[in-house]
Amino acid sequence: MEFDNSFEVPLPVGDAWKVLMDIRRIAPCMPGAELTDVVDDRTYKGKIGVRLGPVALTFAGTVKFEEIDNANHKARVAAQGNDAKGRGAANATAAFHLEPAGSGTKVLVHTNLTLSGAVAQYGRGVGIIQMTAAQIITQFANNLKAKLAQDGAATAPTDAPPLLPASAPPAPAPRPTPSVAAPQPAPAAAKPISGFALMANVLWAAIKRLFGQG
């Protein structure tokens, strides 16, 4: 069976290509996937868990770049995996290419998938396969965007202190103090606010206002 998917990366084509070709970096973004070995710069081993309808499957196998066209930002990947419980196998060839999309990049993927054994019965309906693939691609794209945002924040330069005007006199040197205070520990990173916690805070504030306590 054949199907097409696409997703967008918030980077220019050249930068997006470098990111997508860095398998070690993007593998954790693929839902259910785990990179287990790097055979060479074009061949990788790993496993991925997927769900076809009510059936959960885990495939372990090899992914190999059969073609890489850096100039035109195109590549073809062949993947082969066997179900961990011996229920069949999956073979796929995916061709993808990148094209500009506004300030970012659109990645178009064409996949040719063959299932064998019992797993072919689980994925007998093409609609199930397409829906599953679309969900995986969407989640991968979201995870990749989050990772890129996190990496960008981690490498962003800190704000420099404001410069004094040229006419301003130099600040007086601080007087020596008899003792030096122990350095204070750095504040812990703030935890993200969950939607549930935010709603609870809003509700509690409304109750207090209702009874005149806030």
Side-chain angles (χ1 to χ4, degrees), residues 6-199:
S6 65
F7 61 96
E8 294 190 3
V9 180
L11 292 173
V13 172
D15 294 338
W17 176 257
K18 293 177 182 178
V19 170
L20 293 173
M21 296 303 291
D22 188 347
I23 301 301
R24 295 179 182 86
R25 182 180 181 185
I26 68 171
C29 298
M30 181 64 70
E34 178 185 353
L35 183 64
T36 59
D37 189 21
V38 178
V39 179
D40 54 45
D41 60 349
R42 289 198 176 202
T43 310
Y44 305 86
K45 291 185 177 180
K47 57 184 178 180
I48 184 169
V50 297
R51 180 176 290 275
L52 296 179
V55 181
L57 304 167
T58 301
F59 292 96
T62 303
V63 176
K64 183 176 182 179
F65 281 92
E66 293 186 331
E67 179 184 349
I68 298 176
D69 184 348
N70 292 314
N72 296 304
H73 304 116
K74 296 181 179 181
R76 186 175 69 250
V77 178
Q80 182 278 328
N82 296 300
D83 176 60
K85 296 183 179 181
R87 291 171 290 185
N91 290 272
T93 300
F96 64 91
H97 70 275
L98 281 59
E99 60 182 34
S103 60
T105 298
K106 188 173 185 178
V107 183
L108 298 100
V109 187
H110 178 77
T111 304
N112 190 330
L113 173 67
T114 302
L115 300 176
S116 59
V119 296
Q121 300 298 318
Y122 304 149
R124 184 168 46 189
V126 177
I128 295 179
I129 299 295
Q130 291 178 334
M131 181 178 64
T132 302
Q135 290 175 344
I136 292 175
I137 290 294
T138 298
Q139 190 172 344
F140 168 76
N142 291 336
N143 293 342
L144 180 59
K145 290 176 184 177
K147 179 172 179 57
L148 291 174
Q150 181 181 16
D151 292 349
T155 58
T158 56
D159 293 334
L163 298 176
L164 292 174
S167 59
R175 295 182 179 179
T177 54
S179 61
V180 179
Q184 297 297 319
K191 295 182 180 180
I193 300 176
S194 68
F196 178 81
L198 184 60
M199 291 176 61

